[in-house]
Amino acid sequence: MTRHIRHAALFCLLLLAALLVNAARVQVVRAPEYDANPANRRPDIARYQQPRGDILVGGRPVTGSRDTGEHLRFERTYRDGPMWAPVTGFASQEYGTTLLEHAEDGLLSGADPVLAPLPLWNDVTGARSPGGDVVTTLHAGAQRAAYEGLGRRTGAVAAIEPATGRVLALVSTPSYDPGELSGNGAAALRAWRRLNDDPARPMLNRAVRRTYPPGSTFKVVTAAAALDSGVVTDLDAPTRSPDPYPLPGTRTRLTNEVPGCADASLREAFERSCNTVFAKLGTEVGVPALAATAERLGFNDDGLRIPFPVARSTFDTSVDRAQLGLSAIGQYNTRATPLQMAMVAAAVAGGGQLRTPYLVERTTRASGSVVATAGSRPARQVMRPSTALRLKELMTGVVESGTGANAAIRGATVGGKTGTAQHGVGNSGTPYAWFVSWARGERDLEPKVAVAAVVEGTAADHGEVTGGGLAAPVARAVMEAVLRG
């Protein structure tokens, strides 16, 4: 009898061992497979069983969570959604996450292991930490000024604090309300289809994800290369530039929109935005030196993240001399995001030093304790301090006596450069009005803000699109908001 009991006990132990092995196989070995199975709703239910952490601007949340009482309980909400959408992106139960909602999703959703009270605590207990908060570098007044300044026009604005690299404003219009995509019902589906079918592309973040021909604003880069390389040593010396200027090796004769550019000095050419002078300067500087200056400023860099990725701004390094002349005035294959051109202005304002822009100041737990702090990135010298000083002088002249008068702010020192990028056969393409600038308040030792604004024109107003007329007032409003504090 004892022998039969022993055999039965052994058999039961074998069955128990087999059960434990199978449970381990299902819960450990095949867990990723089951988690990824579209039919498994448990991760989604757990993800939306608690409110999502918030994105904060100036200490106030621009996001929230709404209790729906459904299986996917909490939906994302947004305050002034269209204004903040180029920063927040959306967090949708059906369509996923974008921009800051995507880059910081682990922390906002509570899934990041760093939020757990102890290492592996959530893995052992099956608990989920409350979502953390993301504190941004944004300036609420500057963001609103940019958004209202662009109004119904298509365009974008990026603003940076030169001394730190903090992103102060990031606006793209037309925009959309990300809250319309938060749920997973018929309303979210209709909004998704409408937004994706809209030819105005409201979900495109033009400030960081679209590149434009920078036009004459790129002359800041060309002037920096000419001064750094010694091609120009005196701002007021004649440049021996003919008007019109024959592009090397071609029969094409480059002209100007304004008179008085023949043999103009760099100062005169910068204030009048003479294409002929800067095209000739570009060919004299050469591809290696001009490309090196552009790349130090951020062109041809496909790794910039703020923390979401920024589209690559380009300067073509495989050009002949004629193409180089066009590239030097922001045409041909030269393209830039508004954030990139704000970086150019920030480098001038920062005395030739450039700090990589960043959007997240710190992340915190729901309790308020700090998880991580970004802080200012190390500065890199992108042009000589003397070059930056002379460019400040040139850009100040544009506002005081040149094409950028609409950016002037009483009691402040403002430097800027206008640009009107016309492209296509016979300049038939959409014209873009640009303005890049920086501003220093009356009591400030250094410039507090650098801005790039671009406004897209239409066929109807092709002849009326100018950087000084359309983009400069938008940039001025942003700079005023920052200088007010």
Side-chain angles (χ1 to χ4, degrees):
M1 185 69 180
T2 305
R3 183 168 60 86
H4 294 301
I5 293 174
R6 232 183 4 251
H7 287 170
L10 181 60
F11 182 66
C12 288
L13 286 173
L14 290 174
L15 288 177
L16 179 60
L19 183 62
L20 292 173
V21 169
N22 187 58
R25 181 182 68 86
V26 171
Q27 296 186 25
V28 178
V29 177
R30 300 193 64 186
E33 177 185 341
Y34 291 132
D35 283 343
N37 192 310
N40 180 17
R41 298 266 293 170
R42 293 179 64 86
D44 286 339
I45 293 173
R47 175 184 176 88
Y48 297 107
Q49 275 299 106
Q50 63 181 24
R52 190 171 172 85
D54 283 319
I55 296 171
L56 282 73
V57 176
R60 298 181 60 193
V62 297
T63 59
S65 295
R66 180 173 68 91
D67 191 347
T68 66
E70 300 176 356
H71 281 301
L72 304 184
R73 184 174 170 182
F74 286 93
E75 287 183 4
R76 193 57 144 167
T77 62
Y78 296 88
R79 179 172 61 87
D80 293 328
M83 185 171 74
W84 299 109
V87 176
T88 63
F90 60 77
S92 169
Q93 294 175 348
E94 185 69 24
Y95 305 109
T97 54
T98 59
L99 300 180
L100 206 51
E101 293 275 29
H102 180 73
E104 300 290 350
D105 182 62
L107 181 118
L108 291 166
S109 67
D112 195 327
V114 74
L115 297 174
L118 295 171
L120 303 178
W121 176 265
N122 289 352
D123 293 335
V124 174
T125 64
R128 193 180 187 93
S129 301
D133 294 335
V134 175
V135 180
T136 70
T137 61
L138 295 166
H139 185 291
Q143 185 83 359
R144 185 169 294 279
Y147 183 71
E148 293 178 351
L150 287 172
R152 294 180 178 272
R153 285 196 173 271
T154 299
V157 173
I160 298 173
E161 185 176 68
T164 62
R166 298 167 72 242
V167 176
L168 302 177
L170 210 61
V171 170
S172 175
T173 57
S175 190
Y176 70 104
D177 184 356
E180 293 182 346
L181 303 173
S182 293
N184 59 358
L189 175 61
R190 288 194 298 270
W192 178 257
R193 289 176 174 171
R194 172 174 52 82
L195 291 170
N196 280 282
D197 291 341
D198 190 335
R201 303 180 70 187
M203 289 197 293
L204 172 63
N205 188 339
R206 291 171 169 83
V208 296
R209 296 303 302 163
R210 180 164 189 183
T211 60
Y212 298 86
S216 292
T217 59
F218 191 79
K219 291 171 183 174
V220 178
V221 181
T222 303
L227 290 166
D228 264 356
S229 63
V231 170
V232 174
T233 56
D234 184 348
L235 298 183
D236 297 302
T239 55
R240 300 180 182 177
S241 305
D243 182 9
Y245 171 64
L247 292 173
T250 74
R251 296 181 180 178
T252 302
R253 296 164 69 83
L254 192 64
T255 59
N256 298 291
E257 297 291 329
V258 294
C261 288
D263 207 26
S265 67
L266 183 60
R267 188 189 305 277
E268 294 169 331
F270 199 86
E271 291 180 4
R272 297 175 186 173
S273 204
C274 296
N275 289 334
T276 51
V277 173
F278 279 91
K280 180 174 179 287
L281 277 180
T283 61
E284 292 174 348
V285 170
V287 173
L290 187 50
T293 298
E295 289 175 356
R296 285 195 298 270
L297 287 163
F299 284 82
N300 297 339
D301 178 7
D302 55 8
L304 179 59
R305 304 179 71 89
I306 62 168
F308 45 82
V310 178
R312 181 176 184 260
S313 298
T314 57
F315 181 83
D316 196 338
T317 59
S318 59
V319 292
D320 60 28
R321 295 186 71 223
Q323 294 163 343
L324 177 60
L326 294 175
S327 298
I329 59 173
Q331 297 184 23
Y332 190 58
N333 287 339
T334 306
R335 299 187 68 89
T337 62
L339 181 63
Q340 171 60 69
M341 294 312 297
M343 291 168 62
V344 171
V348 174
Q353 290 192 332
L354 178 63
R355 295 182 186 272
T356 303
Y358 68 101
L359 183 59
V360 175
E361 194 74 78
R362 63 184 179 276
T363 53
T364 68
R365 296 179 176 84
S367 63
S369 62
V370 175
V371 174
T373 303
S376 181
R377 313 284 179 87
R380 62 182 189 273
Q381 197 74 39
V382 297
M383 64 182 76
R384 293 177 181 174
S386 59
T387 294
L389 185 63
R390 288 193 279 184
L391 284 174
K392 278 185 180 180
E393 187 179 335
L394 293 178
M395 293 180 74
T396 302
V398 168
V399 175
E400 291 179 349
S401 56
T403 56
N406 282 338
I409 300 172
R410 180 175 296 180
T413 302
V414 179
K417 182 70 188 79
T418 56
T420 305
Q422 297 176 334
H423 61 105
V425 178
N427 289 335
S428 60
T430 301
Y432 305 117
W434 277 93
F435 193 72
V436 299
S437 57
W438 50 265
R440 176 172 58 83
E442 193 171 16
R443 299 180 180 179
D444 299 322
L445 296 177
E446 297 295 336
K448 289 186 66 175
V449 58
V451 181
V454 62
V455 179
E456 298 184 22
T458 64
D461 57 8
H462 195 285
E464 302 173 6
V465 176
T466 64
L470 292 181
V474 179
R476 181 190 65 223
V478 175
M479 292 186 290
E480 284 179 326
V482 175
L483 294 180
R484 284 196 303 266

